[in-house]
Amino acid sequence: MKRNVGPTPACVNMNLETTFLFVIEVVGTIAFAISGIRLAAYKHFDIFGAYTIGLVTATGGGTLRDVLLNLPVFWLQTPVYLAVTAISLIIVVIFRRVLVSHDRILFTFDAIGLALFVVIGIQKTLAAGYPMWGAIVMGTVTGSFGGVVRDILINEEPLFFRKDIYATACVAGGVAYWIIALFGGSELLQQISCAFIVILLRVCALKYNWALPVLTYNIHKTRN
């Protein structure tokens, strides 16, 4: 007679890790969706347009990541992300006076979404068997590409391509993840360090006006 010994510790750990990553992804989706819907409201989009902008902001980076990694597109596997975006829309509608009129609110949600999605991008890329440098690239794509599409759709210059510290923060977070891994730190510490560095750099960039050098060309320069 066989005894039912229950799930092994490895299975339990895998389930906990999967659940944790799912929770991070949902929280990141809410943060990015709110940032996108808030901008759409500022531009006077209608309800459907605002929802679309929120969904694109929240899923754009992850979609490109999954396509490049030849993985099933994450938000097509479950309606949770569509529902979460709808909840984010309701939140913006209810608290629109606060969310739409304060730029720091947008910055806060954008920074949180950016940090969490960088972590998710790195984790999923490593799980797919790719090297760490590729995971950092995919983390940057996951965190920033949705914002690029958002800005294009609302007719704004993408933040990704400005001198602001944005994609650089994603890369720095990925490097922090890598360093902690090299020194044998736990996965949780790697994730927290990555997210912390991304948010810290975004906050410092805003507070101290940090920016990358800008390429310029003076077309009026006098020729000899």
Side-chain angles (χ1 to χ4, degrees):
M1 183 175 179
K2 295 183 178 180
R3 296 176 60 187
N4 184 8
V5 297
T8 64
C11 291
V12 172
N13 290 335
M14 184 176 297
N15 290 335
L16 288 175
E17 180 180 344
T18 302
T19 301
F20 180 67
L21 291 178
F22 177 74
V23 170
I24 291 179
E25 201 159 38
V26 169
V27 173
T29 299
I30 293 173
F32 258 175
I34 288 178
S35 76
I37 293 168
R38 183 265 185 194
L39 275 179
Y42 184 78
K43 292 282 188 173
H44 305 293
F45 281 41
D46 63 20
I47 293 294
F48 180 77
Y51 177 84
T52 302
I53 295 298
L55 183 63
V56 168
T57 306
T59 63
T63 300
L64 180 59
R65 174 203 65 218
D66 290 344
V67 170
L68 291 175
L69 297 179
N70 197 29
L71 297 173
V73 178
F74 73 103
W75 62 271
L76 292 177
Q77 307 304 306
T78 171
V80 167
Y81 301 99
L82 299 178
V84 165
T85 303
I87 293 172
S88 302
L89 177 61
I90 294 171
I91 292 173
V92 175
V93 170
I94 294 175
F95 301 103
R96 60 185 178 278
R97 289 188 177 181
V98 176
L99 294 176
V100 176
S101 60
H102 293 80
D103 288 337
R104 289 186 180 273
I105 297 294
L106 170 64
F107 174 84
T108 300
F109 283 108
D110 190 76
I112 293 173
L114 185 67
L116 295 180
F117 273 26
V118 171
V119 171
I120 287 293
I122 292 174
Q123 288 285 104
K124 288 197 171 183
T125 305
L126 292 176
Y130 289 88
M132 190 64 215
W133 65 265
I136 294 175
V137 173
M138 286 297 102
T140 303
V141 167
T142 306
S144 59
F145 187 74
V148 172
V149 179
R150 173 199 66 200
D151 292 342
I152 292 174
L153 291 177
I154 65 174
N155 198 28
E156 291 281 345
E157 180 184 2
L159 188 62
F160 183 88
F161 300 119
R162 300 180 211 167
K163 63 180 181 178
D164 197 7
I165 303 294
Y166 196 81
T168 310
C170 299
V171 175
V175 172
Y177 190 109
W178 194 355
I179 291 174
I180 298 298
L182 289 176
F183 281 92
S186 66
E187 280 197 3
L188 180 60
L189 181 59
Q190 294 167 30
Q191 294 162 2
I192 292 174
S193 300
C194 176
F196 174 77
I197 291 298
V198 173
I199 294 175
L200 177 65
L201 287 178
R202 291 293 294 136
V203 170
C204 289
L206 177 68
K207 185 175 182 179
Y208 300 111
N209 294 318
W210 289 357
L212 295 176
V214 177
L215 291 177
T216 59
Y217 176 70
N218 186 3
I219 62 175
H220 301 293
K221 185 177 180 181
T222 302
R223 296 181 180 180
N224 294 328

